[in-house]
Amino acid sequence: MRDIDEPSLLLPRRRFVQGLTIAGVGLGLGLVRPARATLPMPAVQDVGGPEAHLTIREAAVDFTGRSRRAVTVNGGVPGPTLRWREGETVALHVHNQLATASSIHWHGLVVPADQDGVPGISFAGIPDGKTFTYRFPVRQSGTYWYHAHSRFQEQSGLYGAIVIEPKGGERHAADRDYVLLISDWSDEDPERIYASLRSRSDVYNMGQPTLADLVRDVRANGMPAALDKRRMWNRMRMNPTDLADVSATTYTYLINGTSPAGNWTGLFRPGERVRLRVINGSANSIFDLRIPGLRLRVIAADGQDVEPVDVDELRLSAAETYDLLVEPREDRAYTIVAQSIDRSGYARATLAPRLGMTAPVPALDPRPRLSMRDMMGAMAGDADAGPMTMAHHARTEYGPGVDMRVDMPRTNLDDPGVGLRERTHRVLTYADLRTLGGPLDDREPGRTIELHLTGNMERYAWSFDGVKYSSATPVHFRQGERLRIRLVNDTMMNHPIHLHGMWSEVESPDGSFQVRKHTVNVQPAQQVSYAVTADNPGHWAFHCHMLFHMEAGMFREVVVS
């Protein structure tokens, strides 16, 4: 974000580098928090009820010791948590006080197409200085979130949580109920980040292989094997540490708008059950979350109740949500830590009996490396990769916009992914998730659409089937049909794919129903299939939820008619 005219904070830049940052927001008054401030920023007031007003405007913020402008909702980053009851109809008057058009999309909510909030697809956007009223029935319950769908306004702060109470009350009783909204903030203007990636895609990767890594490989595997491995990566012009486009080199990771040093804290009494509604509301980051000393009971995924499963850690791809139950029994603090997938930084919060208590923050794990499985998919004799399947590449994949194709993608859903495979404790995978009540529609899909997630990392070009959005034609669903989407990831990066307006019902490798989601993460060189019932007519967005991948072209329009 650009510098602003308000007096700059007195915090030295060194404090940002050390992660000793202070979070703050001017709450729409154009004020910055004083340098002596050490408390997390105050949250804006929750908004509930059938009718509400949300105001989008710029305001001064301070997450790093430097004053910047953010795009706020009701003056906050994040914006207010919206609290509704299943079954009510809500009217949201969104006032755009920016100097440019804006929008809000209700992520995960099944709403009429003209209320979905994607400019150019489902409506025209909200012009500067104007008000748009969203009105829709709330037909579901659970944890969701909202965010801008206008260029990089989401990266600039326009996002917030949604909590919808079920008609019949919560399935799992809890004494405390907290939202944990994880996000990634940069002092850089997002336009500048994007331009940097387009000119040099590894500009934020500070963990590239070094001579020391080569020496370590030689010691472990011998000189010939180490050199062969290095030649292979070089020949393919790929990088085994290419885990995240944008890292903590420019990002500060936040929980509820609070930096690690600010340490957002949720209170409990020992023995209480605490529900944590964890939302990855980041623009371009994936996190691995754990609470040392506590088991995490996963009770919902993307707002939908699942058969409870106890784990020690889980990965949240961009836009995914998970509801967790924890039962801290000791009179002490517990650290909630969410490492970025490339281990360049972390978000941190605390559960504690009293304010001011802290617990140790675990050291960052070593940066993991991608493996042959992440590049090639299933290999001969690789029983852990799931049933063998051959991918069908479209002719459009053979062009300068695609630098990699996977012929035999792995189909395993029980792989926690790079950096988590070697854990000795239990890590959540999609294979562990089973939505209660089964599929919404038990018909066998009548047809299959196979789409490949493609890109050229060196050019920072992203696409479906080698065709970026600006050159693509819409994908058509017949209204009322049950169809299968098969996604094949031909790249070495994770892609959380979000279909607006309809549920994605993920299938196990043998084709049986697994879990209902609004955002499906597809790991490198992996194939994931899900069934969709095309029961919501209109024009819908379908895209990777890594914001810079979407803007670079991994986006499609889906038409249900």
Side-chain angles (χ1 to χ4, degrees), residues 297-328:
R297 172 158 291 187
V298 181
I299 56 173
D302 287 3
Q304 303 294 288
D305 286 349
V306 297
E307 295 178 13
V309 53
D310 291 339
V311 300
D312 299 291
E313 189 168 12
L314 69 157
R315 172 161 290 173
L316 291 109
S317 200
E320 290 186 309
T321 76
Y322 288 99
D323 285 23
L324 314 175
L325 275 181
V326 297
E327 296 186 52

PDB file of all heavy atoms in Angstrom, residues 297-328:
ATOM      1  N   ARG A 297     -10.323 -31.260  17.627  1.00  0.00           N
ATOM      2  CA  ARG A 297     -11.437 -32.076  17.113  1.00  0.00           C
ATOM      3  C   ARG A 297     -12.092 -31.305  15.972  1.00  0.00           C
ATOM      4  O   ARG A 297     -12.721 -30.261  16.193  1.00  0.00           O
ATOM      5  CB  ARG A 297     -12.440 -32.381  18.216  1.00  0.00           C
ATOM      6  CG  ARG A 297     -13.712 -33.067  17.711  1.00  0.00           C
ATOM      7  CD  ARG A 297     -14.429 -33.819  18.791  1.00  0.00           C
ATOM      8  NE  ARG A 297     -13.661 -34.992  19.221  1.00  0.00           N
ATOM      9  CZ  ARG A 297     -14.092 -35.916  20.070  1.00  0.00           C
ATOM     10  NH1 ARG A 297     -15.284 -35.800  20.600  1.00  0.00           N
ATOM     11  NH2 ARG A 297     -13.319 -36.936  20.380  1.00  0.00           N
ATOM     12  N   VAL A 298     -11.959 -31.806  14.761  1.00  0.00           N
ATOM     13  CA  VAL A 298     -12.533 -31.149  13.585  1.00  0.00           C
ATOM     14  C   VAL A 298     -14.005 -31.528  13.498  1.00  0.00           C
ATOM     15  O   VAL A 298     -14.342 -32.714  13.404  1.00  0.00           O
ATOM     16  CB  VAL A 298     -11.792 -31.578  12.302  1.00  0.00           C
ATOM     17  CG1 VAL A 298     -12.385 -30.875  11.080  1.00  0.00           C
ATOM     18  CG2 VAL A 298     -10.300 -31.268  12.421  1.00  0.00           C
ATOM     19  N   ILE A 299     -14.906 -30.534  13.541  1.00  0.00           N
ATOM     20  CA  ILE A 299     -16.345 -30.828  13.538  1.00  0.00           C
ATOM     21  C   ILE A 299     -17.054 -30.246  12.314  1.00  0.00           C
ATOM     22  O   ILE A 299     -18.214 -30.573  12.074  1.00  0.00           O
ATOM     23  CB  ILE A 299     -17.019 -30.300  14.822  1.00  0.00           C
ATOM     24  CG1 ILE A 299     -16.767 -28.796  15.000  1.00  0.00           C
ATOM     25  CG2 ILE A 299     -16.529 -31.078  16.037  1.00  0.00           C
ATOM     26  CD1 ILE A 299     -17.553 -28.188  16.160  1.00  0.00           C
ATOM     27  N   ALA A 300     -16.384 -29.408  11.552  1.00  0.00           N
ATOM     28  CA  ALA A 300     -17.008 -28.868  10.337  1.00  0.00           C
ATOM     29  C   ALA A 300     -15.924 -28.465   9.347  1.00  0.00           C
ATOM     30  O   ALA A 300     -14.827 -28.049   9.738  1.00  0.00           O
ATOM     31  CB  ALA A 300     -17.899 -27.665  10.659  1.00  0.00           C
ATOM     32  N   ALA A 301     -16.233 -28.625   8.078  1.00  0.00           N
ATOM     33  CA  ALA A 301     -15.324 -28.205   7.005  1.00  0.00           C
ATOM     34  C   ALA A 301     -16.122 -27.342   6.032  1.00  0.00           C
ATOM     35  O   ALA A 301     -17.195 -27.753   5.573  1.00  0.00           O
ATOM     36  CB  ALA A 301     -14.744 -29.421   6.288  1.00  0.00           C
ATOM     37  N   ASP A 302     -15.624 -26.155   5.748  1.00  0.00           N
ATOM     38  CA  ASP A 302     -16.302 -25.213   4.858  1.00  0.00           C
ATOM     39  C   ASP A 302     -17.768 -25.008   5.250  1.00  0.00           C
ATOM     40  O   ASP A 302     -18.665 -24.959   4.398  1.00  0.00           O
ATOM     41  CB  ASP A 302     -16.195 -25.681   3.402  1.00  0.00           C
ATOM     42  CG  ASP A 302     -14.786 -25.493   2.845  1.00  0.00           C
ATOM     43  OD1 ASP A 302     -13.911 -25.054   3.601  1.00  0.00           O
ATOM     44  OD2 ASP A 302     -14.566 -25.781   1.662  1.00  0.00           O
ATOM     45  N   GLY A 303     -18.006 -24.944   6.558  1.00  0.00           N
ATOM     46  CA  GLY A 303     -19.342 -24.654   7.074  1.00  0.00           C
ATOM     47  C   GLY A 303     -20.241 -25.852   7.240  1.00  0.00           C
ATOM     48  O   GLY A 303     -21.324 -25.739   7.816  1.00  0.00           O
ATOM     49  N   GLN A 304     -19.822 -27.018   6.769  1.00  0.00           N
ATOM     50  CA  GLN A 304     -20.662 -28.215   6.801  1.00  0.00           C
ATOM     51  C   GLN A 304     -20.178 -29.172   7.893  1.00  0.00           C
ATOM     52  O   GLN A 304     -18.987 -29.500   7.958  1.00  0.00           O
ATOM     53  CB  GLN A 304     -20.607 -28.924   5.442  1.00  0.00           C
ATOM     54  CG  GLN A 304     -21.014 -28.042   4.282  1.00  0.00           C
ATOM     55  CD  GLN A 304     -22.474 -27.633   4.344  1.00  0.00           C
ATOM     56  OE1 GLN A 304     -23.376 -28.423   4.117  1.00  0.00           O
ATOM     57  NE2 GLN A 304     -22.712 -26.373   4.677  1.00  0.00           N
ATOM     58  N   ASP A 305     -21.109 -29.633   8.735  1.00  0.00           N
ATOM     59  CA  ASP A 305     -20.735 -30.548   9.814  1.00  0.00           C
ATOM     60  C   ASP A 305     -20.185 -31.854   9.251  1.00  0.00           C
ATOM     61  O   ASP A 305     -20.721 -32.404   8.279  1.00  0.00           O
ATOM     62  CB  ASP A 305     -21.949 -30.854  10.691  1.00  0.00           C
ATOM     63  CG  ASP A 305     -22.322 -29.674  11.590  1.00  0.00           C
ATOM     64  OD1 ASP A 305     -21.521 -28.721  11.673  1.00  0.00           O
ATOM     65  OD2 ASP A 305     -23.405 -29.714  12.199  1.00  0.00           O
ATOM     66  N   VAL A 306     -19.112 -32.323   9.867  1.00  0.00           N
ATOM     67  CA  VAL A 306     -18.506 -33.594   9.460  1.00  0.00           C
ATOM     68  C   VAL A 306     -18.468 -34.524  10.658  1.00  0.00           C
ATOM     69  O   VAL A 306     -18.634 -34.097  11.818  1.00  0.00           O
ATOM     70  CB  VAL A 306     -17.076 -33.382   8.912  1.00  0.00           C
ATOM     71  CG1 VAL A 306     -17.097 -32.529   7.651  1.00  0.00           C
ATOM     72  CG2 VAL A 306     -16.159 -32.769   9.977  1.00  0.00           C
ATOM     73  N   GLU A 307     -18.242 -35.815  10.376  1.00  0.00           N
ATOM     74  CA  GLU A 307     -18.013 -36.749  11.476  1.00  0.00           C
ATOM     75  C   GLU A 307     -16.772 -36.274  12.219  1.00  0.00           C
ATOM     76  O   GLU A 307     -15.732 -36.055  11.602  1.00  0.00           O
ATOM     77  CB  GLU A 307     -17.795 -38.162  10.928  1.00  0.00           C
ATOM     78  CG  GLU A 307     -19.014 -38.749  10.242  1.00  0.00           C
ATOM     79  CD  GLU A 307     -18.736 -40.132   9.667  1.00  0.00           C
ATOM     80  OE1 GLU A 307     -17.694 -40.715  10.011  1.00  0.00           O
ATOM     81  OE2 GLU A 307     -19.557 -40.610   8.861  1.00  0.00           O
ATOM     82  N   PRO A 308     -16.872 -36.073  13.537  1.00  0.00           N
ATOM     83  CA  PRO A 308     -15.722 -35.525  14.270  1.00  0.00           C
ATOM     84  C   PRO A 308     -14.478 -36.386  14.094  1.00  0.00           C
ATOM     85  O   PRO A 308     -14.550 -37.618  14.092  1.00  0.00           O
ATOM     86  CB  PRO A 308     -16.205 -35.536  15.717  1.00  0.00           C
ATOM     87  CG  PRO A 308     -17.693 -35.469  15.623  1.00  0.00           C
ATOM     88  CD  PRO A 308     -18.045 -36.279  14.412  1.00  0.00           C
ATOM     89  N   VAL A 309     -13.369 -35.725  13.936  1.00  0.00           N
ATOM     90  CA  VAL A 309     -12.098 -36.429  13.804  1.00  0.00           C
ATOM     91  C   VAL A 309     -11.049 -35.656  14.598  1.00  0.00           C
ATOM     92  O   VAL A 309     -10.991 -34.420  14.522  1.00  0.00           O
ATOM     93  CB  VAL A 309     -11.702 -36.580  12.315  1.00  0.00           C
ATOM     94  CG1 VAL A 309     -11.703 -35.253  11.584  1.00  0.00           C
ATOM     95  CG2 VAL A 309     -10.346 -37.246  12.175  1.00  0.00           C
ATOM     96  N   ASP A 310     -10.263 -36.372  15.389  1.00  0.00           N
ATOM     97  CA  ASP A 310      -9.248 -35.749  16.234  1.00  0.00           C
ATOM     98  C   ASP A 310      -7.903 -35.758  15.519  1.00  0.00           C
ATOM     99  O   ASP A 310      -7.433 -36.817  15.067  1.00  0.00           O
ATOM    100  CB  ASP A 310      -9.127 -36.496  17.561  1.00  0.00           C
ATOM    101  CG  ASP A 310     -10.365 -36.308  18.432  1.00  0.00           C
ATOM    102  OD1 ASP A 310     -11.098 -35.328  18.205  1.00  0.00           O
ATOM    103  OD2 ASP A 310     -10.598 -37.145  19.333  1.00  0.00           O
ATOM    104  N   VAL A 311      -7.289 -34.601  15.449  1.00  0.00           N
ATOM    105  CA  VAL A 311      -5.983 -34.472  14.795  1.00  0.00           C
ATOM    106  C   VAL A 311      -5.104 -33.553  15.656  1.00  0.00           C
ATOM    107  O   VAL A 311      -5.563 -32.951  16.626  1.00  0.00           O
ATOM    108  CB  VAL A 311      -6.112 -33.902  13.363  1.00  0.00           C
ATOM    109  CG1 VAL A 311      -6.967 -34.798  12.496  1.00  0.00           C
ATOM    110  CG2 VAL A 311      -6.672 -32.481  13.397  1.00  0.00           C
ATOM    111  N   ASP A 312      -3.849 -33.463  15.260  1.00  0.00           N
ATOM    112  CA  ASP A 312      -2.914 -32.567  15.941  1.00  0.00           C
ATOM    113  C   ASP A 312      -2.566 -31.351  15.088  1.00  0.00           C
ATOM    114  O   ASP A 312      -2.038 -30.360  15.605  1.00  0.00           O
ATOM    115  CB  ASP A 312      -1.620 -33.323  16.282  1.00  0.00           C
ATOM    116  CG  ASP A 312      -1.880 -34.487  17.207  1.00  0.00           C
ATOM    117  OD1 ASP A 312      -2.221 -34.247  18.367  1.00  0.00           O
ATOM    118  OD2 ASP A 312      -1.778 -35.645  16.749  1.00  0.00           O
ATOM    119  N   GLU A 313      -2.833 -31.428  13.796  1.00  0.00           N
ATOM    120  CA  GLU A 313      -2.461 -30.331  12.902  1.00  0.00           C
ATOM    121  C   GLU A 313      -3.324 -30.415  11.653  1.00  0.00           C
ATOM    122  O   GLU A 313      -3.772 -31.503  11.259  1.00  0.00           O
ATOM    123  CB  GLU A 313      -0.975 -30.463  12.532  1.00  0.00           C
ATOM    124  CG  GLU A 313      -0.414 -29.263  11.787  1.00  0.00           C
ATOM    125  CD  GLU A 313       1.121 -29.310  11.698  1.00  0.00           C
ATOM    126  OE1 GLU A 313       1.703 -30.374  12.001  1.00  0.00           O
ATOM    127  OE2 GLU A 313       1.711 -28.280  11.310  1.00  0.00           O
ATOM    128  N   LEU A 314      -3.544 -29.273  11.024  1.00  0.00           N
ATOM    129  CA  LEU A 314      -4.284 -29.292   9.764  1.00  0.00           C
ATOM    130  C   LEU A 314      -3.770 -28.176   8.869  1.00  0.00           C
ATOM    131  O   LEU A 314      -3.268 -27.153   9.348  1.00  0.00           O
ATOM    132  CB  LEU A 314      -5.791 -29.140   9.979  1.00  0.00           C
ATOM    133  CG  LEU A 314      -6.329 -27.795  10.465  1.00  0.00           C
ATOM    134  CD1 LEU A 314      -7.792 -27.668  10.085  1.00  0.00           C
ATOM    135  CD2 LEU A 314      -6.191 -27.693  11.980  1.00  0.00           C
ATOM    136  N   ARG A 315      -3.896 -28.424   7.579  1.00  0.00           N
ATOM    137  CA  ARG A 315      -3.510 -27.428   6.564  1.00  0.00           C
ATOM    138  C   ARG A 315      -4.757 -26.699   6.094  1.00  0.00           C
ATOM    139  O   ARG A 315      -5.778 -27.341   5.795  1.00  0.00           O
ATOM    140  CB  ARG A 315      -2.798 -28.118   5.407  1.00  0.00           C
ATOM    141  CG  ARG A 315      -2.525 -27.209   4.213  1.00  0.00           C
ATOM    142  CD  ARG A 315      -1.448 -27.782   3.306  1.00  0.00           C
ATOM    143  NE  ARG A 315      -0.136 -27.734   3.970  1.00  0.00           N
ATOM    144  CZ  ARG A 315       0.979 -28.280   3.488  1.00  0.00           C
ATOM    145  NH1 ARG A 315       0.946 -28.917   2.348  1.00  0.00           N
ATOM    146  NH2 ARG A 315       2.120 -28.190   4.160  1.00  0.00           N
ATOM    147  N   LEU A 316      -4.673 -25.386   6.023  1.00  0.00           N
ATOM    148  CA  LEU A 316      -5.769 -24.577   5.488  1.00  0.00           C
ATOM    149  C   LEU A 316      -5.286 -23.904   4.222  1.00  0.00           C
ATOM    150  O   LEU A 316      -4.414 -23.025   4.268  1.00  0.00           O
ATOM    151  CB  LEU A 316      -6.187 -23.503   6.489  1.00  0.00           C
ATOM    152  CG  LEU A 316      -6.875 -23.963   7.768  1.00  0.00           C
ATOM    153  CD1 LEU A 316      -5.936 -23.778   8.946  1.00  0.00           C
ATOM    154  CD2 LEU A 316      -8.141 -23.161   8.009  1.00  0.00           C
ATOM    155  N   SER A 317      -5.852 -24.318   3.114  1.00  0.00           N
ATOM    156  CA  SER A 317      -5.542 -23.608   1.889  1.00  0.00           C
ATOM    157  C   SER A 317      -6.361 -22.319   1.842  1.00  0.00           C
ATOM    158  O   SER A 317      -7.300 -22.136   2.630  1.00  0.00           O
ATOM    159  CB  SER A 317      -5.851 -24.486   0.669  1.00  0.00           C
ATOM    160  OG  SER A 317      -5.135 -24.014  -0.461  1.00  0.00           O
ATOM    161  N   ALA A 318      -6.003 -21.442   0.940  1.00  0.00           N
ATOM    162  CA  ALA A 318      -6.687 -20.154   0.886  1.00  0.00           C
ATOM    163  C   ALA A 318      -8.191 -20.362   0.710  1.00  0.00           C
ATOM    164  O   ALA A 318      -8.617 -21.146  -0.144  1.00  0.00           O
ATOM    165  CB  ALA A 318      -6.133 -19.319  -0.270  1.00  0.00           C
ATOM    166  N   ALA A 319      -8.983 -19.700   1.534  1.00  0.00           N
ATOM    167  CA  ALA A 319     -10.450 -19.659   1.491  1.00  0.00           C
ATOM    168  C   ALA A 319     -11.120 -20.817   2.208  1.00  0.00           C
ATOM    169  O   ALA A 319     -12.342 -20.811   2.356  1.00  0.00           O
ATOM    170  CB  ALA A 319     -10.977 -19.582   0.059  1.00  0.00           C
ATOM    171  N   GLU A 320     -10.377 -21.818   2.670  1.00  0.00           N
ATOM    172  CA  GLU A 320     -10.997 -22.920   3.399  1.00  0.00           C
ATOM    173  C   GLU A 320     -11.323 -22.498   4.830  1.00  0.00           C
ATOM    174  O   GLU A 320     -10.650 -21.638   5.412  1.00  0.00           O
ATOM    175  CB  GLU A 320     -10.073 -24.136   3.437  1.00  0.00           C
ATOM    176  CG  GLU A 320      -9.896 -24.834   2.097  1.00  0.00           C
ATOM    177  CD  GLU A 320      -9.098 -26.123   2.224  1.00  0.00           C
ATOM    178  OE1 GLU A 320      -7.999 -26.085   2.818  1.00  0.00           O
ATOM    179  OE2 GLU A 320      -9.561 -27.152   1.732  1.00  0.00           O
ATOM    180  N   THR A 321     -12.344 -23.131   5.409  1.00  0.00           N
ATOM    181  CA  THR A 321     -12.663 -22.920   6.825  1.00  0.00           C
ATOM    182  C   THR A 321     -12.822 -24.271   7.516  1.00  0.00           C
ATOM    183  O   THR A 321     -13.299 -25.237   6.905  1.00  0.00           O
ATOM    184  CB  THR A 321     -13.965 -22.104   7.024  1.00  0.00           C
ATOM    185  OG1 THR A 321     -15.103 -22.941   6.778  1.00  0.00           O
ATOM    186  CG2 THR A 321     -14.016 -20.895   6.107  1.00  0.00           C
ATOM    187  N   TYR A 322     -12.405 -24.317   8.765  1.00  0.00           N
ATOM    188  CA  TYR A 322     -12.607 -25.514   9.591  1.00  0.00           C
ATOM    189  C   TYR A 322     -13.066 -25.071  10.977  1.00  0.00           C
ATOM    190  O   TYR A 322     -12.540 -24.102  11.533  1.00  0.00           O
ATOM    191  CB  TYR A 322     -11.312 -26.323   9.729  1.00  0.00           C
ATOM    192  CG  TYR A 322     -10.922 -27.055   8.460  1.00  0.00           C
ATOM    193  CD1 TYR A 322      -9.969 -26.523   7.603  1.00  0.00           C
ATOM    194  CD2 TYR A 322     -11.524 -28.257   8.129  1.00  0.00           C
ATOM    195  CE1 TYR A 322      -9.624 -27.177   6.425  1.00  0.00           C
ATOM    196  CE2 TYR A 322     -11.182 -28.926   6.960  1.00  0.00           C
ATOM    197  CZ  TYR A 322     -10.235 -28.389   6.110  1.00  0.00           C
ATOM    198  OH  TYR A 322      -9.903 -29.043   4.952  1.00  0.00           O
ATOM    199  N   ASP A 323     -14.048 -25.785  11.538  1.00  0.00           N
ATOM    200  CA  ASP A 323     -14.467 -25.555  12.913  1.00  0.00           C
ATOM    201  C   ASP A 323     -13.824 -26.628  13.783  1.00  0.00           C
ATOM    202  O   ASP A 323     -13.908 -27.828  13.478  1.00  0.00           O
ATOM    203  CB  ASP A 323     -15.993 -25.645  13.038  1.00  0.00           C
ATOM    204  CG  ASP A 323     -16.688 -24.417  12.468  1.00  0.00           C
ATOM    205  OD1 ASP A 323     -16.087 -23.737  11.618  1.00  0.00           O
ATOM    206  OD2 ASP A 323     -17.831 -24.156  12.874  1.00  0.00           O
ATOM    207  N   LEU A 324     -13.215 -26.183  14.879  1.00  0.00           N
ATOM    208  CA  LEU A 324     -12.501 -27.082  15.782  1.00  0.00           C
ATOM    209  C   LEU A 324     -13.069 -26.957  17.187  1.00  0.00           C
ATOM    210  O   LEU A 324     -13.496 -25.869  17.600  1.00  0.00           O
ATOM    211  CB  LEU A 324     -11.013 -26.722  15.825  1.00  0.00           C
ATOM    212  CG  LEU A 324     -10.300 -26.475  14.493  1.00  0.00           C
ATOM    213  CD1 LEU A 324      -8.871 -26.015  14.743  1.00  0.00           C
ATOM    214  CD2 LEU A 324     -10.304 -27.743  13.644  1.00  0.00           C
ATOM    215  N   LEU A 325     -13.059 -28.065  17.926  1.00  0.00           N
ATOM    216  CA  LEU A 325     -13.346 -28.038  19.361  1.00  0.00           C
ATOM    217  C   LEU A 325     -12.072 -28.385  20.100  1.00  0.00           C
ATOM    218  O   LEU A 325     -11.397 -29.363  19.750  1.00  0.00           O
ATOM    219  CB  LEU A 325     -14.436 -29.049  19.716  1.00  0.00           C
ATOM    220  CG  LEU A 325     -15.895 -28.642  19.576  1.00  0.00           C
ATOM    221  CD1 LEU A 325     -16.802 -29.801  20.022  1.00  0.00           C
ATOM    222  CD2 LEU A 325     -16.224 -27.397  20.393  1.00  0.00           C
ATOM    223  N   VAL A 326     -11.738 -27.599  21.118  1.00  0.00           N
ATOM    224  CA  VAL A 326     -10.606 -27.925  21.973  1.00  0.00           C
ATOM    225  C   VAL A 326     -11.068 -27.838  23.419  1.00  0.00           C
ATOM    226  O   VAL A 326     -12.018 -27.110  23.742  1.00  0.00           O
ATOM    227  CB  VAL A 326      -9.410 -26.974  21.735  1.00  0.00           C
ATOM    228  CG1 VAL A 326      -8.888 -27.117  20.318  1.00  0.00           C
ATOM    229  CG2 VAL A 326      -9.790 -25.525  22.014  1.00  0.00           C
ATOM    230  N   GLU A 327     -10.396 -28.590  24.293  1.00  0.00           N
ATOM    231  CA  GLU A 327     -10.748 -28.606  25.713  1.00  0.00           C
ATOM    232  C   GLU A 327      -9.486 -28.404  26.550  1.00  0.00           C
ATOM    233  O   GLU A 327      -8.915 -29.368  27.055  1.00  0.00           O
ATOM    234  CB  GLU A 327     -11.446 -29.921  26.081  1.00  0.00           C
ATOM    235  CG  GLU A 327     -12.777 -30.117  25.383  1.00  0.00           C
ATOM    236  CD  GLU A 327     -13.514 -31.362  25.867  1.00  0.00           C
ATOM    237  OE1 GLU A 327     -13.674 -31.511  27.077  1.00  0.00           O
ATOM    238  OE2 GLU A 327     -13.899 -32.180  25.015  1.00  0.00           O
ATOM    239  N   PRO A 328      -9.056 -27.163  26.706  1.00  0.00           N
ATOM    240  CA  PRO A 328      -7.876 -26.914  27.543  1.00  0.00           C
ATOM    241  C   PRO A 328      -8.214 -27.140  29.010  1.00  0.00           C
ATOM    242  O   PRO A 328      -9.142 -26.521  29.543  1.00  0.00           O
ATOM    243  CB  PRO A 328      -7.551 -25.446  27.251  1.00  0.00           C
ATOM    244  CG  PRO A 328      -8.828 -24.855  26.761  1.00  0.00           C
ATOM    245  CD  PRO A 328      -9.597 -25.947  26.100  1.00  0.00           C
TER     246      PRO A 328
END
